[in-house]
Amino acid sequence: MELFVQDTPTCESYVQDIKTQSAVERQLSIIGEAVNRFDKLSQHTILDNARQIVGFRNRLIHAYDSMDNTIVWAILKRYLLPLKTTVIKALETED
């Protein structure tokens, strides 16, 4: 995901870049589906905010016309790296 926004340094530039928005939203929907599956399969690890992540994925897929780009940007900047770190740690301990 980091590659998609490496040339998009600000929320304003993100809002102006429809191609990047499309790529990011697609990746976030994939992440949401993966979190949903992970949450169902993992018996030992609970992901923080899993229900909110899945809910956001559903909104991306089903209510895309009401998506606020500033919310997407905030998710990218505040929540994606902690989620990635948690999942990596969880996968390492599940082995």
Side-chain angles (χ1 to χ4, degrees):
M1 176 76 73
E2 295 91 350
L3 294 174
F4 290 108
V5 293
Q6 72 183 6
D7 296 329
T8 311
T10 66
C11 184
E12 293 77 25
S13 60
Y14 177 77
V15 168
Q16 298 300 317
D17 189 346
I18 295 171
K19 189 187 309 184
T20 298
Q21 289 174 35
S22 180
V24 165
E25 290 174 10
R26 171 75 171 133
Q27 294 303 307
L28 287 174
S29 68
I30 291 169
I31 290 169
E33 184 61 27
V35 165
N36 191 37
R37 291 181 186 188
F38 183 89
D39 197 39
K40 290 177 181 175
L41 294 174
S42 178
Q43 299 176 7
H44 304 292
T45 304
I46 296 172
L47 294 177
D48 292 337
N49 304 314
R51 293 295 95 207
Q52 291 89 340
I53 294 166
V54 173
F56 182 76
R57 176 253 179 221
N58 292 339
R59 186 170 173 201
L60 274 172
I61 299 299
H62 301 292
Y64 54 87
D65 58 334
S66 66
M67 189 52 50
D68 183 342
N69 287 319
T70 59
I71 292 172
V72 175
W73 185 255
I75 288 169
L76 288 173
K77 294 300 176 179
R78 292 185 192 150
Y79 302 109
L80 200 58
L81 184 56
L83 174 64
K84 181 179 177 179
T85 302
T86 301
V87 169
I88 289 171
K89 286 180 184 177
L91 291 172
E92 289 171 351
T93 59
E94 295 249 343
D95 292 335

